[in-house]
Amino acid sequence: MNPLDPKEFRRQGHMIIDFLADYYQNIGKYPVLSQVEPGYLKNLMPEFAPLSPEPIETILQDLQQHIVPGITHWQSPNYFAYFPSSGSTAGFAGEMLSTGFNLVGFNWVSSPAATELESIVMDWLGQMLNLPKAFLFSGSGGGVLLGTTCEAILVTLVAARDKMLSQIGRESICELVVYVSDQTHCAVQKAAHIIGIHPKNIRVIKTIKSTSFTLSPESLSSTIQTDVQNGLVPCYLCVTVGTTSTTAIDPLGPLCMVAKKYGMWVHVDAAYAGSVCVCPEFRHFIDGIENANSFSFNAHKWFLTNLDCCCLWVKDPASVIKSLSTHTVYLENSATDSKRVVDYKDWQITLSRRFRALKLWLVLKSYGVVNLRNFLRSHVEMAKTFEGLVKRDKRFEIFVPRNLAVVCFRLLPSAVAKISNGGSKTEDVAKISNGGSKTENVAKISNGGIKLEDVANGINRRLLDSINGSGTVYMTHAVVGGVFVIRCAIGATLTHTTHVIMAWKTVQEHADAVLNY
Amino acid sequence: MNPLDPKEFRRQGHMIIDFLADYYQNIGKYPVLSQVEPGYLKNLMPEFAPLSPEPIETILQDLQQHIVPGITHWQSPNYFAYFPSSGSTAGFAGEMLSTGFNLVGFNWVSSPAATELESIVMDWLGQMLNLPKAFLFSGSGGGVLLGTTCEAILVTLVAARDKMLSQIGRESICELVVYVSDQTHCAVQKAAHIIGIHPKNIRVIKTIKSTSFTLSPESLSSTIQTDVQNGLVPCYLCVTVGTTSTTAIDPLGPLCMVAKKYGMWVHVDAAYAGSVCVCPEFRHFIDGIENANSFSFNAHKWFLTNLDCCCLWVKDPASVIKSLSTHTVYLENSATDSKRVVDYKDWQITLSRRFRALKLWLVLKSYGVVNLRNFLRSHVEMAKTFEGLVKRDKRFEIFVPRNLAVVCFRLLPSAVAKISNGGSKTEDVAKISNGGSKTENVAKISNGGIKLEDVANGINRRLLDSINGSGTVYMTHAVVGGVFVIRCAIGATLTHTTHVIMAWKTVQEHADAVLNY
């Protein structure tokens, strides 16, 4: 047994490449959202691991027959759910090389190229984003590649907490307050919980439709003032550039001004929208970044870099290192002692780390800045096309202004009202919105117990289920301001305008069916 | 620009496979430890990301010319540093498939196969380890794949903290105490810091040579008693099966008995040694596991599964989920509502997650249980061979008993003493141990200011630097009980007995040179 025999590695490697190339070739044939039932795989798999080896040919058959049907095809051109998981040949090649070298780059000496390429690529990318020098190694800051935004938030939260506790004393941990909006990613609340912020000290500030569900500097300011009056200590603010539900862009500049007064750490979570800020015409989304402390985006979302790859820049790496560094004898080495190197283990939660920089390096070199920008723009253009199609169908509305390549839309209550007013039986409306047929619901509607908005929510939910159940396309939903909206997130690498137009046709067909139910 | 064009994907994919197959073929030709200087890459790379695309051919040339020299070759058969990073064709193939599908399996619905295969594989592996049913899905527990042990520790620490705080109140966070030994991985102290354990409440219990640097149940018990008397609350104990420095095996059974009295969470960190417990003859290392709360090991260390892949089992998944679950509207779905599925996002720190189960599935199927056991055994046999060689050279000693495939050895103080007693000039001893030649050091030695043990430490350090500077092999060090030892960690996939014998010859040659300096 030689598990790294070059000849066998080559043979099997080529087989896997062909398997995946065929997969991409045929990906449009699969239902985008897997249609399996919970527990489907258990009956298809043996109860115990095999005692004897199986040939790769058998394993790939097994994969095709049993695993692929249980996969939701994030690389499908008809994938419009959540946010994209943006793969590419270059991103894949980079990950292969990283997996092949299989090195553990926790500090510089464990593999100097892993650290140095990461620092270089992070400065390249920082320059593309026109980040202030203060965030770059060529200035006084620096960047690091993590797995996900959740880690970026945890890293910066710990640094912010410790910075504040070093002033007010560790015993005051229960006085620290973290600020988010009701549109901020749940990662912040989870990370705040993990680092020991008292649950009652996480402020979730309400957003409203008239300001497109962005965090209001005035609301933030008044919330902080109340906390300070109550003897609490403002610690961390997360500003979102491109929220998950609707890609809302929080007003970074004014929010930083509020936070600055209280010496809080401001993190800018641009998980989704950060990528597109490499285009000059979208760079204004992060105007004001010079007053933030840290900034992150996911290159695996919309930057052709296969999962996982989160880019985090911090203005003051020392504060992160202070919180996260470890000193163990068995990792001591003269390079670290010389203080001439970066040891990335001190910039992250874990010790071990993959050579993630390779894939970002391959993406940047393989496509080049100009093409990357144009590629991102093409998704925004496709979203405009989709938006235009929605607007032309009077049964629908665009629920919030489109900022980038996500369109949030829904069947209008007025379209739904037609059903309840004679387009269909009242009873049916109740069925649709509740998925049941109890007469008590009908009574509720006639007595005003169920509002038209609720009925609309129910029907839009039913519409989305109907669309996704078809397997033709996959979209997901959000609920903002109490309203259920369907999100069409454009950005899968294989998506072209034709897919977007087909997606809209699918929506219309299912709307016809649902409304005439 | 079509970054996922199947034809181009196929062409480039095959090129990368050939690149890596050639790399494995020639890996013995590279210096194992990279010999570059800090900052070497900056001058070789342009200051800005390229505006235009570069062909893959150019990129691979660049990689070979500039990146490969900066890589420390963890896959080299002459790699004996830290712990192995155990790659294989199957592990690589699994990671390729996962990267190719590029799905984000945060919950069941986002890709059912990713979740279900993970649960199945974790039960397979748990059965191979003969874990009690209480840790398996087929019992009342369950397993999850994380990136690293650091995450496993963080996850279990948060669960343990919250379990305790739910009894004594969140405000009591500063009273919680975490227990480790001075041989426990630094990940525990780092994680404890992250979750807000007061720095003064992390107990680092001293270990001694006579008990092979294992954590003493008596020391643990008396430490806890003192804390309890002082009104503190014991919360979490990390027991290590295979410590980083010397692969010491903490006495799991008796330690659990102590912890049980106080209702503490016991986590078993078997990052390195867990793999080999699939062999019945080594299973006794985790006897007593039935009284622990959680158990983890790194399949990427010594189980042919490319980085990263940490396997964590917990007895009470509900306690982890209670601490780490998130509820957001945009992730709501009927499968989750049905409570018939696992949503792994609630078992980990981050939301996004890769399809890691694929590579473990491929490893288990490609090699089979019997071969995997034999492969691990072969490394233990090679370590016995190395140990035998060390023992035959009277200048050396095996510093602590070898448990598995790591040998901790050093030049004996008596061998070093020969130099200072006439084998060489006293002045040189000072040079060797201090790396300098100040006469004040010579004076110190003659006056007893530098102890022979310190001189021995200095010379062993010099020996290791000399070995690693040659590029022929790469080993690392530990300092235990004040003694500097060289670690020879056997387990790189390509290592055969011949490499181990050559490694020992290299050590001897450099010892000759250092001692005759």
Side-chain angles (χ1 to χ4, degrees):
Chain A
M1 176 173 164
N2 178 357
L4 265 183
D5 172 58
K7 206 173 144 194
E8 186 59 18
F9 176 90
R10 202 182 301 262
R11 187 182 81 87
Q12 293 196 25
H14 286 311
M15 286 177 72
I16 306 284
I17 291 295
D18 287 335
F19 180 96
L20 285 171
D22 292 346
Y23 171 73
Y24 293 134
Q25 190 84 53
N26 299 316
I27 198 164
K29 295 179 189 161
Y30 299 109
V32 190
L33 174 65
S34 170
Q35 306 287 315
V36 300
E37 287 295 313
Y40 91 100
L41 193 57
K42 209 179 167 186
N43 301 326
L44 301 171
M45 290 274 153
E47 201 183 337
F48 299 98
L51 287 175
S52 305
E54 293 177 17
I56 185 72
E57 290 78 3
T58 317
I59 297 173
L60 288 179
Q61 272 171 22
D62 216 359
L63 178 72
Q64 184 66 53
Q65 206 177 338
H66 299 318
I67 307 293
V68 171
I71 285 178
T72 292
H73 302 283
W74 289 62
Q75 301 313 297
S76 165
N78 302 312
Y79 179 93
F80 303 100
Y82 309 110
F83 281 129
S85 169
S86 170
S88 70
T89 298
F92 176 83
E95 187 66 60
M96 281 173 74
L97 290 166
S98 164
T99 304
F101 292 132
N102 205 29
L103 58 86
V104 191
F106 39 74
N107 57 11
W108 182 88
V109 77
S110 72
S111 226
T115 295
E116 297 205 8
L117 190 65
E118 186 162 327
S119 299
I120 289 166
V121 165
M122 289 305 284
D123 262 21
W124 281 6
L125 205 46
Q127 287 157 346
M128 287 167 67
L129 287 161
N130 200 13
L131 289 186
K133 270 266 185 189
F135 285 94
L136 307 185
F137 285 108
S138 56
S140 48
V144 59
L145 291 175
L146 305 173
T148 73
T149 296
C150 300
E151 289 166 61
I153 287 168
L154 189 51
V155 161
T156 52
L157 250 174
V158 173
R161 179 199 68 185
D162 290 348
K163 207 174 159 186
M164 199 54 89
L165 291 184
S166 72
Q167 294 166 30
I168 63 171
R170 282 217 82 83
E171 284 72 16
S172 307
I173 186 168
C174 290
E175 291 165 23
L176 300 181
V177 188
V178 168
Y179 298 85
V180 298
S181 87
D182 59 8
Q183 298 302 307
T184 306
H185 195 276
C186 59
V188 184
Q189 292 193 54
K190 181 164 172 173
H193 176 77
I194 289 170
I195 71 154
I197 299 294
H198 199 294
K200 69 172 194 238
N201 289 350
I202 299 171
R203 298 282 166 271
V204 182
I205 299 169
K206 198 172 147 52
T207 62
I208 51 174
K209 186 165 188 246
S210 63
T211 46
S212 297
F213 303 103
T214 59
L215 177 56
S216 142
E218 294 72 30
S219 303
L220 174 68
S221 184
S222 64
T223 309
I224 296 178
Q225 277 171 35
T226 309
D227 285 330
V228 171
Q229 281 159 13
N230 290 330
L232 297 174
V233 181
C235 176
Y236 184 94
L237 165 69
C238 181
V239 176
T240 310
V241 174
T243 59
T244 309
S245 288
T246 65
T247 72
I249 314 278
D250 287 341
L252 177 54
L255 289 168
C256 283
M257 287 300 109
V258 175
K260 217 174 178 177
K261 278 193 230 164
Y262 302 94
M264 297 164 67
W265 185 294
V266 179
H267 178 71
V268 181
D269 168 14
Y272 164 67
S275 303
V276 85
C277 296
V278 302
C279 302
E281 70 270 31
F282 297 116
R283 171 57 175 75
H284 66 92
F285 286 147
I286 54 169
D287 280 357
I289 186 78
E290 60 277 7
N291 288 315
N293 299 77
S294 48
F295 171 80
S296 64
F297 86 91
N298 287 344
H300 61 243
K301 271 202 167 62
W302 194 20
F303 204 69
L304 297 174
T305 311
N306 295 49
L307 191 69
D308 48 8
C309 191
C310 170
C311 309
L312 167 68
W313 289 267
V314 288
K315 244 189 201 167
D316 179 20
S319 61
V320 170
I321 294 168
K322 202 171 172 190
S323 283
L324 298 176
S325 66
T326 49
H327 299 282
T328 44
V329 170
Y330 47 81
L331 293 181
E332 278 175 3
N333 67 88
S334 56
T336 297
D337 293 344
S338 78
K339 301 196 172 161
R340 290 167 60 206
V341 298
V342 170
D343 285 338
Y344 273 125
K345 72 179 176 61
D346 299 336
W347 293 54
Q348 62 177 23
I349 300 301
T350 63
L351 174 62
S352 294
R353 65 200 318 270
R354 282 149 53 229
F355 191 175
R356 286 201 186 92
L358 261 187
K359 57 185 170 184
L360 205 43
W361 184 67
L362 257 91
V363 165
L364 291 172
K365 279 170 85 84
S366 293
Y367 305 121
V369 177
V370 174
N371 280 353
L372 281 165
R373 283 181 181 147
N374 288 337
F375 197 66
L376 296 166
R377 284 167 182 146
S378 77
H379 293 133
V380 178
E381 286 307 311
M382 286 183 228
K384 278 186 194 163
T385 301
F386 189 87
E387 185 186 27
L389 292 168
V390 177
K391 281 183 176 167
R392 258 187 271 163
D393 186 330
K394 295 302 165 203
R395 299 173 299 176
F396 288 86
E397 71 166 340
I398 301 291
F399 187 69
V400 285
R402 181 197 51 74
N403 284 320
L404 292 161
V406 174
V407 181
C408 295
F409 66 100
R410 65 163 183 163
L411 275 169
L412 279 162
S414 56
V416 172
K418 278 183 197 155
I419 316 178
S420 50
N421 293 324
S424 181
K425 280 182 276 176
T426 318
E427 198 176 346
D428 292 335
V429 180
K431 265 195 205 169
I432 294 170
S433 58
N434 293 292
S437 64
K438 292 188 211 152
T439 41
E440 58 185 306
N441 291 330
V442 182
K444 270 193 198 165
I445 289 188
S446 8
N447 296 323
I450 295 181
K451 289 186 216 150
L452 188 58
E453 274 293 352
D454 293 337
V455 177
N457 283 352
I459 290 180
N460 276 291
R461 189 183 292 268
R462 181 63 60 97
L463 170 60
L464 181 59
D465 286 346
S466 174
I467 293 166
N468 291 337
S470 74
T472 322
V473 300
Y474 182 27
M475 296 181 187
T476 49
H477 70 279
V479 177
V480 273
V483 174
F484 183 98
V485 296
I486 301 175
R487 294 167 76 262
C488 176
I490 291 160
T493 310
L494 291 166
T495 302
H496 292 291
T497 308
T498 48
H499 301 107
V500 171
I501 293 169
M502 282 306 295
W504 174 243
K505 278 197 181 147
T506 302
V507 172
Q508 282 186 310
E509 282 164 21
H510 287 266
D512 292 344
V514 166
L515 290 175
N516 293 321
Y517 169 78
Chain B
M1 175 175 166
N2 178 357
L4 264 184
D5 173 56
K7 206 173 144 195
E8 185 61 16
F9 176 90
R10 201 182 302 263
R11 186 181 82 87
Q12 293 195 24
H14 286 310
M15 285 177 72
I16 305 285
I17 291 295
D18 288 335
F19 180 95
L20 285 170
D22 292 346
Y23 171 73
Y24 293 134
Q25 191 84 50
N26 299 315
I27 197 164
K29 296 179 188 163
Y30 299 108
V32 191
L33 173 65
S34 169
Q35 306 287 316
V36 300
E37 288 294 315
Y40 90 100
L41 193 57
K42 210 180 168 186
N43 302 326
L44 301 172
M45 289 275 153
E47 201 183 337
F48 299 99
L51 286 175
S52 305
E54 293 177 16
I56 185 70
E57 291 79 1
T58 316
I59 297 173
L60 287 179
Q61 272 172 24
D62 215 359
L63 178 70
Q64 185 66 53
Q65 204 177 339
H66 299 318
I67 307 292
V68 171
I71 285 178
T72 292
H73 302 282
W74 288 63
Q75 301 312 298
S76 166
N78 302 311
Y79 179 93
F80 303 101
Y82 309 108
F83 282 129
S85 168
S86 171
S88 70
T89 298
F92 176 84
E95 186 66 61
M96 280 173 75
L97 289 166
S98 163
T99 305
F101 292 132
N102 204 30
L103 58 85
V104 190
F106 39 74
N107 57 11
W108 183 88
V109 77
S110 71
S111 225
T115 295
E116 297 205 8
L117 190 65
E118 186 162 327
S119 300
I120 288 166
V121 165
M122 289 305 285
D123 261 21
W124 282 5
L125 205 47
Q127 288 157 346
M128 288 167 67
L129 287 161
N130 200 14
L131 290 185
K133 271 266 188 191
F135 286 93
L136 307 185
F137 285 108
S138 56
S140 49
V144 59
L145 291 175
L146 306 173
T148 74
T149 297
C150 300
E151 287 166 62
I153 287 167
L154 189 52
V155 162
T156 52
L157 251 175
V158 173
R161 179 198 68 185
D162 290 348
K163 207 173 160 187
M164 200 54 88
L165 291 183
S166 72
Q167 294 166 32
I168 63 172
R170 282 217 81 84
E171 284 72 14
S172 305
I173 187 168
C174 289
E175 291 165 23
L176 300 182
V177 188
V178 168
Y179 299 85
V180 298
S181 87
D182 58 8
Q183 298 302 308
T184 307
H185 196 277
C186 60
V188 184
Q189 292 193 53
K190 182 163 170 172
H193 176 76
I194 289 170
I195 70 152
I197 300 294
H198 198 294
K200 70 172 194 235
N201 289 351
I202 298 171
R203 297 283 166 270
V204 182
I205 299 169
K206 200 173 146 49
T207 62
I208 52 175
K209 187 166 187 241
S210 62
T211 46
S212 297
F213 302 103
T214 58
L215 177 56
S216 143
E218 294 73 28
S219 304
L220 174 68
S221 185
S222 63
T223 309
I224 295 178
Q225 277 170 36
T226 309
D227 284 331
V228 172
Q229 281 160 13
N230 290 330
L232 297 174
V233 182
C235 174
Y236 185 94
L237 165 69
C238 181
V239 176
T240 310
V241 175
T243 59
T244 309
S245 288
T246 65
T247 72
I249 314 277
D250 288 340
L252 178 54
L255 290 168
C256 283
M257 286 302 108
V258 175
K260 216 175 179 178
K261 279 192 229 163
Y262 302 93
M264 296 164 68
W265 185 294
V266 181
H267 178 71
V268 182
D269 167 15
Y272 164 67
S275 303
V276 86
C277 295
V278 302
C279 303
E281 70 272 29
F282 296 116
R283 171 56 174 77
H284 65 91
F285 286 147
I286 55 169
D287 280 357
I289 186 80
E290 58 278 7
N291 288 313
N293 299 77
S294 48
F295 171 80
S296 64
F297 86 92
N298 288 344
H300 61 243
K301 272 201 166 61
W302 195 20
F303 204 68
L304 296 174
T305 312
N306 295 49
L307 190 70
D308 47 7
C309 191
C310 171
C311 308
L312 167 68
W313 289 267
V314 288
K315 244 188 199 167
D316 179 20
S319 62
V320 170
I321 294 168
K322 202 171 169 192
S323 284
L324 297 176
S325 66
T326 49
H327 298 283
T328 43
V329 169
Y330 47 82
L331 294 181
E332 278 173 5
N333 65 89
S334 55
T336 297
D337 293 344
S338 78
K339 301 197 172 160
R340 291 166 61 206
V341 299
V342 170
D343 285 338
Y344 273 125
K345 72 179 177 61
D346 298 336
W347 294 53
Q348 62 177 23
I349 301 301
T350 62
L351 173 62
S352 293
R353 65 199 318 270
R354 283 149 53 227
F355 190 175
R356 287 201 186 90
L358 262 186
K359 57 184 171 186
L360 205 43
W361 183 67
L362 258 91
V363 165
L364 292 171
K365 280 171 86 83
S366 294
Y367 305 121
V369 177
V370 174
N371 281 353
L372 281 166
R373 284 181 181 147
N374 288 336
F375 196 66
L376 295 166
R377 285 167 180 143
S378 77
H379 293 132
V380 178
E381 287 307 311
M382 286 183 227
K384 279 186 193 163
T385 302
F386 189 87
E387 184 186 27
L389 292 167
V390 176
K391 280 182 176 167
R392 257 187 271 165
D393 187 329
K394 295 303 167 203
R395 299 174 299 176
F396 287 88
E397 70 166 343
I398 301 290
F399 187 69
V400 285
R402 182 197 51 75
N403 284 320
L404 292 162
V406 174
V407 181
C408 295
F409 66 100
R410 65 162 182 164
L411 275 169
L412 279 163
S414 56
V416 172
K418 278 183 197 154
I419 315 179
S420 48
N421 293 325
S424 182
K425 282 182 274 176
T426 318
E427 197 176 346
D428 291 336
V429 180
K431 265 194 204 169
I432 294 168
S433 58
N434 294 290
S437 62
K438 291 188 210 153
T439 42
E440 59 186 305
N441 291 329
V442 182
K444 271 192 198 165
I445 289 188
S446 9
N447 296 324
I450 295 182
K451 288 187 218 149
L452 188 56
E453 274 293 353
D454 293 338
V455 177
N457 283 353
I459 290 178
N460 276 291
R461 190 183 290 269
R462 183 64 60 95
L463 170 59
L464 182 59
D465 286 348
S466 173
I467 293 165
N468 291 338
S470 75
T472 322
V473 300
Y474 181 28
M475 296 180 187
T476 50
H477 70 280
V479 178
V480 273
V483 174
F484 183 98
V485 296
I486 301 176
R487 296 167 75 263
C488 177
I490 292 160
T493 309
L494 292 165
T495 302
H496 293 291
T497 310
T498 48
H499 300 106
V500 170
I501 294 169
M502 281 306 296
W504 174 243
K505 279 198 181 148
T506 301
V507 172
Q508 283 185 310
E509 281 165 21
H510 287 267
D512 292 345
V514 165
L515 289 174
N516 294 320
Y517 170 75

